[in-house]
């Protein structure tokens, strides 16, 4: 039975897509079968794995509209063991179109049901908002992974996200767990980075992953080549960090 993990944080620029793409690639290299679902209209996870976003005719938009089955929109990638359901800019319209639909929060859960057994992990890259798209991802997910940037406003907005998770647990998905909080963009030279790590660990203790994603130029370069960090530079610090995270998740899931 596959595990669905939503990677979510309503703050932009915290390393959500970077984490989704590189965690998927790392789990793939560790011989887990992975599906990445791009649920962000910016479609950066799709282009980050080499998908030509302009030529996507069917993807997460059609899936959420239930116009196609999940099997019909799965595309294989050059990353070993990693498939993707790509996004396209037309996904922007989905929030408006789903508003008056029955059981609108359950569209993604229903759509992924038929393929859940075919993968070890299904990772959903969420949009940087707490709208209907992210809600769909949280209702479909078994757990949520929350990237937190090691910067001044790190904890701002986290309370709001955790409240959303709580209300999803109460109303739609009582089985939703928190996979963990992931500290990203860490720079050991900055006192602030170290303070944020300390603060987050103090508040959230065991909920925080041991792995910290350090700032790394190669991590920033890889997407422009349509590659994960594993394909772009497997020896880089970024690659080592994400392999470490993948190992930690596999271990936590026993």
């Amino acid at each position: 039975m596959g595990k669905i993990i939503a990677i979510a944080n309503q703050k932009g620029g915290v390393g959500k897509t970077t984490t989704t793409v590189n965690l998927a690639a790392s789990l793939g290299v560790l011989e887990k079968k992975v599906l990445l679902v791009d649920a962000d209209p910016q479609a950066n996870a799709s282009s980050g794995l080499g998908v030509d976003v302009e030529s996507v005719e069917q993807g997460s938009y059609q899936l959420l509209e239930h116009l196609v089955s999940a099997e019909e929109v799965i595309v294989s990638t050059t990353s070993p063991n990693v498939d993707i359901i790509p996004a396209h800019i037309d996904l922007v319209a989905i929030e408006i179109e789903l508003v008056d639909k029955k059981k609108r929060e359950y569209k993604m859960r229903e759509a992924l049901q038929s393929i859940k057994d075919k993968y070890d992990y299904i990772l959903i890259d969420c949009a940087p908002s707490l709208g209907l798209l992210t809600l769909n991802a949280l209702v479909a997910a078994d757990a949520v992974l929350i990237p937190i940037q090691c910067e001044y406003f790190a904890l701002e907005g986290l309370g709001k996200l955790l409240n959303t998770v709580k209300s999803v647990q109460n109303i739609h998905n009582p089985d939703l767990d928190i996979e963990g909080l992931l500290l990203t963009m860490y720079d050991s030279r900055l006192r602030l980075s170290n303070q944020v790590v300390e603060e987050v660990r103090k508040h959230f203790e065991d909920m925080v992953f041991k792995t910290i994603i350090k700032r790394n130029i190669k991590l920033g370069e890889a997407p422009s080549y349509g590659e994960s960090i594993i394909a772009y530079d497997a020896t880089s610090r970024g690659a080592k960090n994400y392999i470490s995270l993948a190992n930690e998740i596999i271990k936590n899931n026993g």
Side-chain angles (χ1 to χ4, degrees):
M1 192 68 167
K3 179 166 193 179
I4 302 180
I5 302 175
I7 289 91
N9 190 331
Q10 76 274 28
K11 274 171 74 77
V14 296
K16 250 193 323 291
T17 301
T18 301
T19 294
T20 313
V21 167
N22 295 313
L23 176 57
S26 301
L27 287 165
V29 165
L30 297 171
E31 300 190 340
K32 298 294 176 190
K33 204 161 164 26
V34 185
L35 174 67
L36 192 160
V37 180
D38 194 345
D40 182 352
Q42 295 174 65
N44 291 340
S46 302
S47 57
L49 277 178
V51 174
D52 175 12
V53 178
E54 293 305 312
S55 67
V56 171
E57 284 173 16
Q58 294 189 321
S60 45
Y61 171 79
Q62 286 76 12
L63 184 73
L64 283 162
E65 282 281 17
H66 288 195
L67 300 169
V68 292
S69 70
E71 286 87 348
E72 291 173 82
V73 286
I74 290 173
V75 180
S76 53
T77 73
T78 51
S79 244
N81 298 318
V82 180
D83 292 339
I84 187 169
I85 294 179
H88 184 272
I89 189 68
D90 57 9
L91 190 58
V92 165
I94 200 80
E95 306 242 340
I96 300 155
E97 289 171 25
L98 287 183
V99 159
D100 50 5
K101 295 258 170 86
K102 267 197 185 115
K103 298 184 78 173
R104 58 186 183 204
E105 299 92 352
Y106 296 88
K107 295 293 181 192
M108 187 174 291
R109 175 190 270 192
E110 290 163 6
L112 295 178
Q113 224 44 55
S114 62
I115 54 160
K116 197 174 174 185
D117 290 347
K118 296 180 181 162
Y119 292 92
D120 296 307
Y121 293 95
I122 296 176
L123 305 181
I124 307 173
D125 186 33
C126 296
S129 75
L130 291 178
L132 203 44
L133 258 176
T134 299
L135 185 56
N136 258 276
L138 294 175
V139 173
D142 299 304
V144 55
L145 186 158
I146 304 169
I148 299 173
Q149 199 177 353
C150 293
E151 294 200 349
Y152 183 66
F153 291 117
L155 295 173
E156 196 184 67
L158 187 58
K160 205 173 180 183
L161 178 59
L162 293 173
N163 284 339
T164 302
V165 169
K166 204 167 277 174
S167 71
V168 170
Q169 287 167 330
N170 290 336
I171 303 165
H172 304 293
N173 183 2
D175 301 325
L176 182 65
D177 276 332
I178 291 180
E179 188 71 27
L181 306 180
L182 176 69
L183 292 155
T184 63
M185 304 183 191
Y186 172 76
D187 186 340
S188 57
R189 297 166 303 181
L190 299 178
R191 202 170 84 217
L192 180 62
S193 271
N194 294 304
Q195 282 171 340
V196 171
V197 171
E198 228 169 277
E199 195 81 352
V200 172
R201 290 223 154 117
K202 192 173 80 192
H203 279 293
F204 298 102
E205 300 171 346
D206 296 345
M207 282 166 66
V208 188
F209 285 109
K210 291 186 182 71
T211 303
I212 294 179
I213 308 299
K214 300 185 171 77
R215 270 199 186 278
N216 179 241
I217 289 165
K218 294 278 200 294
L219 272 178
E221 290 172 355
S224 61
Y225 294 90
E227 289 181 344
S228 72
I229 189 66
I230 308 296
Y232 182 64
D233 186 351
T235 61
S236 67
R237 187 196 282 170
K240 287 172 183 157
N241 287 168
Y242 277 108
I243 288 283
S244 161
L245 175 65
N247 273 316
E248 201 174 332
I249 286 175
I250 292 168
K251 191 175 151 218
N252 291 349
N253 285 289

